[in-house]
Amino acid sequence: MSSPYRLAVVGTGGIAHLHAEQLRDHCQGRIELVAAVDPDTDRLDAFKEKFGVEHGYASIEALLAAETLDLVDLCTPPVAHAPGAIAALEAGVGVICEKPPALSLAEFDRIAAAAAVSKGDFALISQHRFGSGADRVRDMTASGVLGRLAVAKCDTLWYRPEEYFAVEWRGRWETEGGGPTMGHGIHQIDTLLSMVGPWSEVVATAHRHRRITNTEDVSHAIVTLESGASVVITNSLLSPREVSQIRLDFDNATVELDHLYGYGDDNWSVHPIAAAAEEVHRAWAGEPRGKSSGHYAQFLRIADALDGKTAPPVTIEDSRRTLELLAAIYASAFTGKRVRAGEIDPTSPFYQRMDGTGAPWPDRK
């Protein structure tokens, strides 16, 4: 077996601890956590001690100058994703980046340009794509056993109290990029698109009902897919009974996913029509099975890609398609117009910022 790939975590907040735990518990022998970055010395030292990390740095520039790395894992606030990704790619180091990948399509396209000329690749964390339930739905869709998709829904109904937004970078367009559409619903939306294919147009609304933020706290969207199927999406941070749900109504069966922050096989259910019940149940009982969604599953797939010298499992194009839909949701919500895929080009204000020329409510300082 080849030596493990050398990875450094940039940012040592809560999500970095989850990544490090997944690497330690599931990826030993494949990926080794060798360094960490955080300008907060106390937080950096606590992370190093907890996970046995030898080297620590105050900046990604210092890290890249001192370490020989295969991967940089960006766990910083969203405002630092694009600068960190571009710095690593320009140094020839592959990037794993937490969501959202950038604050805007303009920033993302700069990442894509850096990746195009780098020997490293860019991979967006899309952990819910990699559970066996989502794999099985994709396989059954491809085989035709489910029939054609007609209708779907995708809900991220979470709850974040006012104190959650006391963290300075949260709830601000210039540092978080958006509200639950951008920072929370992106997980479910990305998983949905991985199963149903590209989108073609969207009509949306966004609202700031309760939270003292500059971004929205609720959004709703009606999305038409290239296949012609329609999807209703809701993203909320005002829902005390938290749930993450995807429902797919095919001609032959309804497939449902009901979880919160991660799923196993038991979180999925299938409800076929009588005429297709035997065939659908037989396929649903098949493989793949037994793999929960989680960061470790994507980390291992990235290691496989490095072994085979291939692109990571979630491509630049995949990541951009998801981010473009989020930009289109905001553009439709704030202009009152239908937005089609490809319309948000460099001439659009929504290419440079997710809020375009500004949200339809006053800023809150």
Side-chain angles (χ1 to χ4, degrees):
M1 181 181 293
S2 62
S3 300
Y5 296 107
R6 293 171 56 84
L7 176 145
V9 167
V10 181
T12 60
I15 194 63
H17 286 250
L18 175 59
H19 284 211
E21 289 164 0
Q22 297 263 300
L23 290 165
R24 178 193 62 201
D25 296 344
H26 300 284
C27 302
Q28 290 189 3
R30 302 295 307 283
I31 301 175
E32 179 184 4
L33 177 55
V34 299
V37 174
D38 202 304
D40 186 319
T41 302
D42 291 340
R43 189 164 58 191
L44 176 62
D45 289 344
F47 183 88
K48 288 168 58 184
E49 181 178 359
K50 179 177 178 179
F51 295 105
V53 177
E54 184 175 358
H55 301 292
Y57 301 90
S59 69
I60 190 171
E61 291 78 14
L63 167 79
L64 294 169
E67 297 284 346
T68 300
L69 299 167
D70 299 294
L71 295 165
V72 163
D73 183 15
L74 297 178
C75 296
T76 56
V79 66
H81 287 176
I86 292 169
L89 290 166
E90 289 180 344
V93 178
V95 174
I96 303 170
C97 184
E98 261 296 344
K99 292 188 183 78
L103 297 182
S104 66
L105 288 171
E107 277 197 351
F108 186 83
D109 285 347
R110 290 194 285 272
I111 295 173
V117 297
S118 175
K119 67 178 183 180
D121 289 305
F122 178 88
L124 179 66
I125 285 290
S126 304
Q127 73 272 23
H128 297 316
R129 288 182 177 226
F130 297 96
S132 53
D135 282 336
R136 200 157 65 254
V137 172
R138 285 188 285 264
D139 290 347
M140 292 173 67
T141 301
S143 74
V145 67
L146 293 171
R148 295 173 58 199
L149 182 70
V151 180
K153 75 167 187 171
C154 177
D155 292 342
T156 300
L157 306 176
W158 292 2
Y159 185 82
R160 295 294 183 268
E162 200 66 67
E163 54 265 28
Y164 173 84
F165 297 98
V167 176
E168 186 176 2
W169 57 265
R170 288 180 178 150
R172 298 178 181 275
W173 297 103
E174 63 273 16
T175 50
E176 192 172 18
T181 313
M182 183 76 159
H184 304 82
I186 185 173
H187 296 275
Q188 292 295 112
I189 293 170
D190 177 79
T191 306
L192 173 85
L193 292 179
S194 79
M195 294 188 290
V196 303
W199 64 279
S200 63
E201 63 180 35
V202 61
V203 176
T205 65
H207 312 271
R208 188 181 64 187
H209 287 310
R210 295 288 187 272
R211 298 295 173 252
I212 303 176
T213 62
N214 290 335
T215 57
E216 86 285 2
D217 51 27
V218 171
S219 69
H220 306 279
I222 302 172
V223 180
T224 303
L225 304 178
E226 283 188 2
S227 68
S230 57
V231 183
V232 177
I233 298 174
T234 298
N235 306 292
S236 168
L237 294 182
L238 306 179
S239 305
R241 189 181 79 79
E242 296 184 289
V243 67
S244 305
Q245 294 175 318
I246 292 176
R247 174 175 171 140
L248 306 170
D249 290 331
F250 296 90
D251 291 338
N252 294 337
T254 292
V255 178
E256 293 181 281
L257 171 62
D258 192 324
H259 69 115
L260 186 51
Y261 300 134
Y263 64 78
D265 286 341
D266 290 345
N267 295 105
W268 293 84
S269 61
V270 63
H271 308 273
I273 62 173
E278 183 176 352
E279 184 182 14
V280 169
H281 282 307
R282 184 187 310 114
W284 189 252
E287 297 295 329
R289 304 194 70 81
K291 183 174 66 177
S292 61
S293 69
H295 296 79
Y296 79 94
Q298 185 168 1
F299 289 149
L300 291 174
R301 290 281 297 277
I302 290 170
D304 290 344
L306 289 170
D307 288 346
K309 295 181 172 56
T310 61
V314 181
T315 66
I316 285 279
E317 292 76 18
D318 292 333
S319 301
R320 195 186 192 283
R321 186 177 297 118
T322 297
L323 190 65
E324 185 189 8
L325 176 54
L326 306 187
I329 289 172
Y330 287 120
S332 177
F334 294 166
T335 65
K337 298 177 181 179
R338 184 184 306 268
V339 177
R340 293 175 174 82
E343 281 189 354
I344 302 178
D345 62 19
T347 67
S348 168
F350 291 92
Y351 179 79
Q352 301 295 337
R353 286 174 59 102
M354 286 289 171
D355 61 335
T357 55
W361 48 73
D363 281 355
R364 290 175 172 171
K365 304 301 182 183

